[in-house]
Amino acid sequence: MTFSFRKITKPKRKALWLYALASAFLLLSCTSETKPKPTRDNLLSVSGEVKNPLELSLEDLKAMPSLFIKDVLFIQEKERCGDPEKFIHGAHFRGVLLKDVLLKAGMKYVRKWEPGVYITVYDTQGKEEVFSFGEIFYSSIGRSVLLAFEENDKPMVFPQGVCDLLVSTDLRAGRRLQGVSRIEVSRVDVEMLAYDDKKEKVVRPPTLAFMLMDHKTGATRNISLETLKALPPVRLPFAVMAGDCEGFRGIYSFEGILLKDLLVQSGVDPCRPEYNRYVLVASEDGFCATFSFGELFNSRLNNNLVIAYKLDDALLNESQGFAMSVAGEDNLGGRSVKRIQRIELF
Ligand SMILES: Nc1nc2c(c(=O)[nH]1)N[C@H]1C(S)=C(S)[C@@H](COP(=O)(O)O)O[C@H]1N2
Ligand SMILES: [Mo]
């Protein structure tokens, strides 16, 4: 059949126009439906020890309550301690707090188990940074760890991944990740005996020394009160001791040494911190806490992570052991591990 435009009558022409319009509309709506499905590289997965694993797109992130952080400064990491400081760049950022994404997924571990949790954030290239549970949820660092998607009021572009990771309270930019695609929640493999101890009225002997083990170098050291006293003393004038399980105990002063000083003395290079590493502080009863290399070596809030041997000017008592950890800036005593039996570097 031949088809000539001239032969078509006026009402028929109108119907044709309508038909053309409708098919154009259909075609348009079809193409918007068949736009490329998000691949794993432009989704952010949250998995591991969480109640509800998540897969978030950039749009999902943008739909969450966001935070604006003004004047985030990026300073270059050093190659060696003597190198001069080099300023890279400063900008304002908007994004979602890592803490809020984790809360959306829901943390599986609670009470005495939670300080042993740590969080690993990966970019699409597999580069990873570790954060401790306490750093994100007890300390104010957690209010500066941002999954950013807007820089200087403009949307950021992510060829891969769905956001950048930045820590506005850090000193240098080593923990920045561009194109984040995965968050994994884990807990250290330490058996919890503290609850059974309490039920069975087990009293653990006071400690006189603890072991420090670096799993990377294989080095081990025995740490006594004398080792601690040989390091520069620090004082935390106010630390709040309270917790989920024991309630509020009080505000105390502590004296001891910086955990980072003990690590440097044990061979860790403070000028080239490895941000995928963390420190475990554990007691014989299984109560333990993690500290990330980032918070220890690269935070403006790092001068409060202490191994204490005195509380309110007296040496610690038998139930506290000769040494306990204190995170002076934390809002809970969750990282105050009493009777330290070992410190392990992972
Ligand atoms: N070794 C050890 N340290 C520990 C605990 C524990 O069970 N074992 N509990 C922690 C918790 S959950 C809290 S709230 C405080 C409680 O301290 P308190 O028992 O002196 O009140 O200690 C922390 N340190
Ligand atoms: Mo607690």
Side-chain angles (χ1 to χ4, degrees), residues 111-112 242-247 287 333-334:
R111 292 161 70 86
K112 284 187 196 278
D244 249 9
C245 7
E246 324 282 350
F287 187 80

Side-chain angles (χ1 to χ4, degrees), residues 210-231:
F210 64 78
M211 197 63 141
L212 190 147
M213 274 162 274
D214 186 335
H215 289 289
K216 194 181 162 202
T217 62
T220 62
R221 285 180 76 192
N222 207 37
I223 312 289
S224 67
L225 184 58
E226 272 50 58
T227 327
L228 297 182
K229 283 191 164 169
L231 282 159

Side-chain angles (χ1 to χ4, degrees), residues 47 52 63 94 117 132 168-169 181 186 192-193 213-214 224 232 234 243 261 305 333 340:
S47 55
N52 314 297
R94 181 174 290 282
V117 169
S132 68
S168 72
T169 42
S181 61
S186 320
M192 178 63 66
L193 307 167
M213 274 162 274
D214 186 335
S224 67
V234 291
D261 287 349
L305 304 175
I340 297 176

Side-chain angles (χ1 to χ4, degrees), residues 66-241:
S66 71
L67 183 77
F68 175 76
I69 305 184
K70 198 174 122 53
D71 296 307
V72 179
L73 305 186
F74 296 112
I75 300 166
Q76 191 150 16
E77 287 291 326
K78 291 181 178 189
E79 286 293 314
R80 266 155 295 144
C81 282
D83 289 352
E85 299 294 354
K86 212 169 133 197
F87 179 71
I88 308 169
H89 145 88
H92 315 309
F93 287 92
R94 181 174 290 282
V96 172
L97 288 173
L98 172 60
K99 175 169 68 80
D100 291 340
V101 169
L102 292 170
L103 287 175
K104 192 180 170 83
M107 297 288 94
K108 230 186 234 173
Y109 285 106
V110 294
R111 292 161 70 86
K112 284 187 196 278
W113 280 277
E114 74 178 23
V117 169
Y118 60 93
I119 299 113
T120 313
V121 183
Y122 298 84
D123 70 8
T124 54
Q125 312 301 307
K127 191 183 168 211
E128 57 185 77
E129 320 284 3
V130 170
F131 293 88
S132 68
F133 183 92
E135 169 177 29
I136 297 297
F137 288 103
Y138 303 149
S139 108
S140 47
I141 296 177
R143 296 189 284 278
S144 89
V145 183
L146 199 67
L147 297 166
F149 47 72
E150 231 177 76
E151 181 172 347
N152 291 338
D153 300 318
K154 285 186 208 74
M156 294 157 76
V157 179
F158 302 101
Q160 285 188 313
V162 303
C163 54
D164 278 9
L165 171 79
L166 59 90
V167 185
S168 72
T169 42
D170 269 3
L171 292 170
R172 302 193 185 81
R175 290 210 276 185
R176 182 176 195 191
L177 287 181
Q178 289 174 301
V180 172
S181 61
R182 187 154 85 90
I183 298 170
E184 177 86 16
V185 180
S186 320
R187 188 184 179 274
V188 292
D189 187 16
V190 177
E191 197 188 352
M192 178 63 66
L193 307 167
Y195 286 111
D196 290 340
D197 278 11
K198 207 164 190 178
K199 214 162 58 193
E200 288 150 28
K201 299 198 166 59
V202 174
V203 179
R204 300 270 171 181
T207 49
L208 298 168
F210 64 78
M211 197 63 141
L212 190 147
M213 274 162 274
D214 186 335
H215 289 289
K216 194 181 162 202
T217 62
T220 62
R221 285 180 76 192
N222 207 37
I223 312 289
S224 67
L225 184 58
E226 272 50 58
T227 327
L228 297 182
K229 283 191 164 169
L231 282 159
V234 291
R235 202 178 149 80
L236 292 175
F238 310 106
V240 176
M241 287 297 127

Side-chain angles (χ1 to χ4, degrees), residues 111-112 115 192 194-195 198 241-247 249 282-288 319-320 324 333-340:
R111 292 161 70 86
K112 284 187 196 278
M192 178 63 66
Y195 286 111
K198 207 164 190 178
M241 287 297 127
D244 249 9
C245 7
E246 324 282 350
R249 290 301 164 108
S283 172
E284 224 179 329
D285 66 5
F287 187 80
C288 59
S319 81
Q320 293 154 344
M324 66 184 278
R335 294 200 281 179
S336 51
V337 179
K338 295 181 281 185
R339 297 183 312 281
I340 297 176

